[in-house]
Amino acid sequence: MAKKIIKTDPNLVELIKNLKEKSYNEEVAIWKDVAKRIQRATRRRAEVNLSKINRVSNDGETVLIPGKVLADGDLDHKVNVAALNFSNIAQEKIEKSGGECISISNILEKNPKGTNIRILE
């Protein structure tokens, strides 16, 4: 039988709870999916490089990473990135290209319906 993963970070537990509540209240499945991805074991969470974000996103698009954004590669267009964590260099590169680094809790408040958001892993 698989071992149940118990999160000990109170901020992460609160974020997962808020995502599930917002999914239920707004009747949108995107937040439940993001909560499920964040609940994974830390080593199974997404780690996405800027090169992949650059390759699959369009100018002005909002991309959500249920994990950490890493700095390998460059961005040649403006992209708003919402993620659990950012490396310092990745955050600098995103802001340098004209994009914005947003926490998942902030994007949840700004866009409760989850429209025009692309999830990357």
Side-chain angles (χ1 to χ4, degrees):
M1 186 158 96
K3 182 178 176 183
K4 184 174 180 175
I5 299 167
I6 299 172
K7 299 295 176 199
T8 57
D9 180 6
N11 296 326
L12 189 61
V13 171
E14 186 69 23
L15 176 62
I16 292 168
K17 183 180 139 228
N18 289 341
L19 286 165
K20 288 180 179 181
E21 284 178 2
K22 189 63 79 168
S23 176
Y24 178 75
N25 292 339
E26 298 292 332
E27 297 178 357
V28 288
I30 186 170
W31 302 125
K32 188 175 181 183
D33 183 55
V34 172
K36 182 178 153 189
R37 292 173 192 228
I38 291 174
Q39 278 182 315
R40 292 179 182 167
T42 305
R43 64 180 164 224
R44 290 196 57 224
R45 272 196 219 136
E47 292 180 346
V48 178
N49 283 306
L50 291 176
S51 59
K52 182 174 182 178
I53 294 172
N54 190 51
R55 205 172 40 247
V56 300
S57 66
N58 298 321
D59 190 32
E61 190 173 24
T62 301
V63 177
L64 191 144
I65 313 295
K68 187 167 188 166
V69 177
L70 302 174
D72 189 29
D74 289 312
L75 288 175
D76 58 9
H77 56 275
K78 177 184 171 186
V79 179
N80 297 324
V81 182
L84 208 54
N85 296 319
F86 296 90
S87 72
N88 293 335
I89 298 171
Q91 190 168 2
E92 291 172 8
K93 287 182 177 181
I94 292 168
E95 291 169 354
K96 184 179 172 185
S97 72
E100 188 179 0
C101 297
I102 309 166
S103 69
I104 293 177
S105 57
N106 287 346
I107 197 86
L108 186 63
E109 292 172 14
K110 287 182 180 178
N111 190 352
K113 290 287 185 184
T115 55
N116 300 323
I117 294 177
R118 179 182 295 194
I119 300 174
L120 287 183
E121 275 198 311

